[in-house]
Amino acid sequence: MMNNDKMDPFDCLIVGAGPVALAMAKALQLRGLTYSLCGELPHQRPNSPDLRTAALFDGSVRLLKTLGAWPYVEPLAAPLVAIRIIDATGRLFRAPEQLFAAADIDTCQLGFNIPNPVLIDAFQATLKTIADANKNHPDEINLTVKVTAINVSDSGVTATLADGTSRMGRIAIAADGRNSITRAAASINVRTWNHNQAALTAHFDHEFSNQAISTEIHAATGPCTVVPLSANRSSLVWMEQPDRAAELADLNDTHFIEALEFRLAGLLGPIRSVTSRRVFPLSSLIADRFAANRVALIGESGHAFPPIGAQGLNLGLRDVASLADHLAEARLAGKDVGSDEVLNAYSTSRSADILARTYGVDAFNASLTGGPTGMLRGAAFHATKASPGVKRFLMERGMQPIGEWPSMMR
Ligand SMILES: Cc1cc2nc3c(=O)[nH]c(=O)nc-3n(C[C@H](O)[C@H](O)[C@H](O)COP(=O)(O)OP(=O)(O)OC[C@H]3O[C@@H](n4cnc5c(N)ncnc54)[C@H](O)[C@@H]3O)c2cc1C
């Protein structure tokens, strides 16, 4: 890459190389804003690859379609027709088993389960198509570079890259995850808190069909969730206290399968095989605003929480679609895309959705791991079971933004 020091700034500098950064690049491309994406793809460890998958709901799937990524994703995406929740907390006042089915809200499926690498590859493929079509396109994408420093000035934001070159944008979009240096450069504060939990991930093959139903078994240490990858293969997100998660991950395949069969209590029948395991430490984070000082936060740079109810990436993709709307409108009106006016409008528009998800997941998690909210949870589940109206309301709230759908998700 050539040094960009002497060139005009890009409209946008995207820092990061996760699914949210790549979706943002594609959204800007479609909206006609110029960008430079600088990031480092997550390192894959040969003996324990990242086997995370994302259950993406309707709005996210519509965004993938708008961005042109869906044809690459669809052959490898597993439809989800229902989410089942089983209370295994062993408490006196237990919640009844719940099935949240697509039919309850008059649709064919709730969403699709997609492996993270499939999403990353799909976004890269769509970005390449346009770059190939127009060799003079000024946008640039570098997925192998570390950003070592970010400097904010009155006229723009400059990223210094590990190769010694720099890039400047009128706005920087922080898609560099929880420990975002872009967020820090804009002096945006975050509140963080720990849960004494970790998530163990793996894929496994099982005898019985999962019937395209995702099942969450709620134990007092957190949920153990199995999400369909195909009829007889599922992905696993097993939340436990960190020591127990590490202990489980270290078991050999035979002993791990025994432990998993015990946890699933026969739900998917005998387990035939399992992949390597990887453990993700869990914590929560929320920024005190979602844009300031020429920097906008998207994805986990602005909010992070435990993987319960498949909320994280769905929320991050709503950030992407919303920011694309704000920047495109600003551009159309001839405004500076990094101005306080544009940033404040974006931050305000995302606040309710982000606060509700972050604290909602936190409260739900706390209701499992102890405390007075456990009783409330049981009561809420009884009410949901008794009333289709309450169930529909909860399902729609879990899958839709608070506020309007951004235009790319309609
Ligand atoms: C076990 C598990 C299961 C989950 N399941 C679901 C689910 O079913 N549904 C759902 O919606 N969400 C789910 N999530 C949440 C989802 O995985 C995250 O929301 C999503 O990965 C966040 O994406 P991101 O792009 O914001 O951040 P990240 O994926 O963290 O990406 C940040 C990127 O920035 C790069 N980067 C950081 N700093 C720099 C730097 N200085 N220079 C260059 N590059 C840099 C990193 O290398 C990385 O590529 C799950 C999470 C976990 C842990």
Side-chain angles (χ1 to χ4, degrees):
M1 278 203 303
M2 50 191 238
N3 192 320
N4 196 50
D5 288 345
K6 304 280 181 292
M7 291 171 66
D8 279 346
F10 293 91
D11 292 325
C12 308
L13 171 71
I14 306 171
V15 183
V20 164
L22 291 164
M24 190 75 235
K26 186 67 196 178
L28 294 176
Q29 214 172 55
L30 293 180
R31 291 306 193 93
L33 287 110
T34 63
Y35 65 86
S36 172
L37 183 151
C38 305
E40 236 180 350
L41 285 170
H43 296 292
Q44 286 293 3
R45 301 177 204 154
N47 295 329
S48 70
D50 183 351
L51 293 174
R52 267 180 304 169
T53 65
L56 294 185
F57 300 131
D58 234 21
S60 299
V61 172
R62 283 199 295 274
L63 179 66
L64 296 188
K65 288 180 179 166
T66 308
L67 300 181
W70 187 243
Y72 299 97
V73 169
E74 190 176 17
L76 299 161
L80 305 174
V81 300
I83 296 174
R84 179 195 289 125
I85 298 183
I86 298 171
D87 188 336
T89 55
R91 299 214 180 95
L92 208 54
F93 193 63
R94 285 172 57 187
E97 182 175 321
Q98 286 282 356
L99 190 74
F100 297 96
D104 293 327
I105 50 169
D106 310 317
T107 80
C108 300
Q109 71 258 321
L110 298 176
F112 292 84
N113 190 32
I114 303 160
N116 280 16
V118 170
L119 272 178
I120 300 262
D121 288 353
F123 285 130
Q124 283 194 66
T126 62
L127 287 161
K128 195 167 175 297
T129 315
I130 294 229
D132 284 351
N134 181 1
K135 302 274 186 233
N136 297 322
H137 205 285
D139 303 335
E140 56 171 26
I141 298 165
N142 188 341
L143 298 173
T144 55
V145 70
K146 192 170 181 61
V147 177
T148 54
I150 298 282
N151 284 298
V152 178
S153 72
D154 286 346
S155 54
V157 182
T158 305
T160 307
L161 312 187
D163 62 10
T165 64
S166 59
R167 299 290 181 278
M168 185 176 180
R170 296 191 194 287
I171 179 176
I173 301 175
D176 46 350
R178 292 166 183 248
N179 302 316
S180 169
I181 60 168
T182 318
R183 180 186 68 218
S187 305
I188 299 177
N189 293 323
V190 287
R191 182 188 160 225
T192 54
W193 63 105
N194 281 318
H195 302 280
N196 193 29
Q197 285 168 308
L200 180 151
T201 56
H203 295 178
F204 64 104
D205 295 303
H206 39 82
E207 193 91 11
F208 301 166
S209 168
N210 49 40
Q211 298 174 304
I213 298 173
S214 171
T215 301
E216 297 188 5
I217 298 178
H218 287 178
T221 45
C224 175
T225 305
V226 287
V227 194
L229 285 166
S230 64
N232 296 90
R233 190 172 173 82
S234 297
S235 59
L236 171 72
V237 179
W238 187 351
M239 283 171 59
E240 279 288 346
Q241 288 179 341
D243 288 353
R244 175 65 181 147
E247 209 175 277
L248 285 166
D250 285 345
L251 293 176
N252 65 29
D253 286 3
T254 310
H255 288 132
F256 182 79
I257 284 174
E258 275 171 20
L260 182 57
E261 282 179 345
F262 182 74
R263 166 53 79 215
L264 298 182
L267 179 80
L268 297 171
I271 294 170
R272 293 185 191 136
S273 62
V274 65
T275 62
S276 59
R277 276 71 75 190
R278 183 147 160 190
V279 175
F280 292 83
L282 298 177
S283 59
S284 289
L285 167 159
I286 189 158
D288 63 9
R289 57 210 151 133
F290 304 103
N293 300 323
R294 290 200 172 269
V295 169
L297 311 183
I298 57 172
E300 290 207 338
S301 69
H303 47 78
F305 41 76
I308 299 177
Q311 295 293 320
L313 187 54
N314 284 289
L315 189 59
L317 292 175
R318 294 206 286 275
D319 299 340
V320 168
S322 169
L323 184 59
D325 278 350
H326 284 277
L327 297 180
E329 274 165 30
R331 156 52 71 86
L332 210 62
K335 293 179 186 161
D336 173 0
V337 290
S339 65
D340 285 347
E341 183 193 343
V342 176
L343 295 179
N344 289 339
Y346 167 71
S347 181
T348 307
S349 73
R350 293 301 300 137
S351 288
D353 199 19
I354 294 173
L355 288 167
R357 306 293 150 181
T358 308
Y359 291 114
V361 167
D362 193 50
F364 195 79
N365 193 22
S367 77
L368 293 176
T369 52
T373 47
M375 290 275 278
L376 282 176
R377 180 176 155 276
F381 271 53
H382 277 284
T384 309
K385 193 137 184 122
S387 161
V390 173
K391 186 188 250 190
R392 175 183 272 271
F393 174 79
L394 284 179
M395 288 176 77
E396 288 176 348
R397 280 278 58 86
M399 296 164 60
Q400 296 173 2
I402 293 182
E404 283 193 357
W405 284 107
S407 62
M408 287 183 154
M409 290 183 148
R410 279 180 209 141

